[in-house]
Amino acid sequence: MQRYKLILAYDGTLFHGFQKQPNQRTIQGVIEDALLKMTKGKHVIVHGSGRTDAGVHAKGQVIHFDYPGNVIPAKNMLLALNALMPRDIIFLDSELVNDDFHVQYSTKAKWYRYIINQSRFTDPFRRNYTGHCPYKLDMLKMKKAATYLLGKHDFTSFAASGGQIVDKVRTIFYINLEQNGDEIVLDVIGDGFLYNMVRIITGLLIDIGHGQKDVEDVEKIILAKDRQKARNTAPASGLYLYHVFYDDLPKKYNLIAKRD
Amino acid sequence: MQRYKLILAYDGTLFHGFQKQPNQRTIQGVIEDALLKMTKGKHVIVHGSGRTDAGVHAKGQVIHFDYPGNVIPAKNMLLALNALMPRDIIFLDSELVNDDFHVQYSTKAKWYRYIINQSRFTDPFRRNYTGHCPYKLDMLKMKKAATYLLGKHDFTSFAASGGQIVDKVRTIFYINLEQNGDEIVLDVIGDGFLYNMVRIITGLLIDIGHGQKDVEDVEKIILAKDRQKARNTAPASGLYLYHVFYDDLPKKYNLIAKRD
């Protein structure tokens, strides 16, 4: 029995999210089916660093599993799994880890990216890979509003119902918006995220950029601890689980440490 | 009755090509169905500048049709059709044209683009939008080989069987290869293209870049007038109908005029 940690990317368009569900095509399900072939029938449970919803993508999802039988070198595990993957999943890196490593509990921080497409009509080539917003958005206001989200807050107002988590205090270490042609790239790094939190943050920043809400509303919405205040959830297609940190967050991504 | 000329882009992934076929989702079929709604049941035939195969994309396909009844301003036609389109087709421009304009016969030149992805494994996010080739390719050799294709040639060796065209003499005005990150972008502009011609040209250039064939083989293959000589056809997913010229080709795209 050997524990493996693997990094993978996937196009979430044709998956019903990460978590295995009966009769649905999911990331976990596809990987467990591949492992079942490799073990000739021994079921291996795949653990993810976190779930991604239907349509949400990953550039750097991380999984671990305990592989029974003889130890396979990490590189061979990578090649074997890639040979069994459909074209919308790819393993990027693989390593052997100790039994005390846990892909979910060992995380130091997670990085999500949201891409907003600003073309007038939905771009056929970007429809599955961005959230579309044709309105002119005020980047300065959005950047200013984003700084209010930095730090340790109770993010109850930014959690969709359905989550079972009681403690809704999270810390955002880094948040940044960049214009890239007709797209806006939002990066958020935090110690953890509530259900739909990044998509709700994106929805709020869009409302502010569009003038539907004010920069100053961010603090009020955080303090209200009321999901009804933030309102809009940006579509799944624009969201990427970009990177999971298992070592200390590099200083350049810790804007709070800089600020304090 | 008024003739309309429209420019459109589409993600060809989920279409069985441009041309209407029974029980298949096609570009022509989807547009004709939309026009049927607008005319309340009068069938309007959509003419394309040329067909694209299943999986082939367009950034600048052009169509024309004769719309019965009252004249609708070009801009309104654009908006009305976009409102009826699925998310993988978008109309970019619309104009009223005279009856002597024909989207196929009035063309001066066509521009195709092929994108080769060079990542080690198939990139989940580029799998439908590029042709994947993990081998190291020699760009200098490919560029040199491409120059042999410039000009007026009998392209019989570059035509897939299935076409009904007898005269296989075509003129390539412009051909260029550019590295763009881990992708190679091939642009080809000509007065017309035979069935699969750009995909066969791409396949040959890849073979040359990979050392399977020599730069000098290009002339031999052209002279052989034998489809068996070029061999490989690059996958549909990397091909884009990029632009159709109805006015004289701008001088910068006419490398033959420069050369002679």
Side-chain angles (χ1 to χ4, degrees), chain B residues 9 16 65 67 83 93 117 148-149 249:
Chain B
H16 283 263
F65 55 77
Y67 193 78
D93 197 27
N117 183 289
Y148 286 107
L149 294 164
L249 187 67

Side-chain angles (χ1 to χ4, degrees), chain A residues 16 30 37 40 56 73 80 91 101 112 130 142 144 150 167 174 178 189 196 201 209 223 227 229 232-233:
Chain A
H16 283 263
V30 165
K37 283 183 192 159
K40 298 198 172 67
V56 173
F91 285 96
F101 174 85
Y112 280 94
T130 58
M142 293 168 81
K144 176 81 176 153
L150 269 182
D167 177 13
Y174 179 92
E178 291 287 343
I189 302 175
N196 277 0
I201 287 174
L223 291 172
R227 170 67 190 102
K229 297 292 180 191
N232 293 322
T233 305

Side-chain angles (χ1 to χ4, degrees), chain B residues 9 31 37 67 71 83 106 112 119 131 140 162 168 181 206 215 223 234 244:
Chain B
I31 299 171
K37 283 183 193 161
Y67 193 78
V71 176
S106 304
Y112 279 94
S119 56
L140 284 179
K168 294 185 175 169
I206 287 173
V215 173
L223 291 172
V244 184

Side-chain angles (χ1 to χ4, degrees), chain A residues 14-15 18 30 73 89-90 123 146 170 186 194 224 228 232 234 239:
Chain A
L14 301 178
F15 289 99
F18 182 88
V30 165
I89 302 183
I90 187 169
D123 179 335
R170 296 290 182 278
L186 167 67
L194 303 167
Q228 298 311 311
N232 293 322
L239 186 62

Side-chain angles (χ1 to χ4, degrees), chain A residues 47-68:
Chain A
H47 300 265
S49 74
R51 300 171 191 173
T52 51
D53 279 343
V56 173
H57 313 292
K59 291 275 191 178
Q61 171 67 288
V62 188
I63 60 163
H64 87 245
F65 55 76
D66 293 322
Y67 193 80

Side-chain angles (χ1 to χ4, degrees), chain B residues 42-104:
Chain B
K42 276 187 195 158
H43 185 61
V44 175
I45 295 169
V46 167
H47 299 266
S49 73
R51 299 170 191 172
T52 52
D53 280 342
V56 173
H57 313 292
K59 290 276 190 177
Q61 171 69 287
V62 188
I63 60 163
H64 87 245
F65 55 77
D66 293 321
Y67 193 78
N70 295 332
V71 176
I72 301 172
K75 196 183 169 182
N76 296 8
M77 179 61 80
L78 181 82
L79 294 171
L81 278 173
N82 271 337
L84 293 167
M85 284 302 111
R87 279 161 41 96
D88 41 3
I89 302 183
I90 188 169
F91 285 95
L92 303 168
D93 197 27
S94 163
E95 60 178 305
L96 308 180
V97 289
N98 293 328
D99 288 358
D100 60 355
F101 173 85
H102 190 289
V103 78
Q104 191 178 352

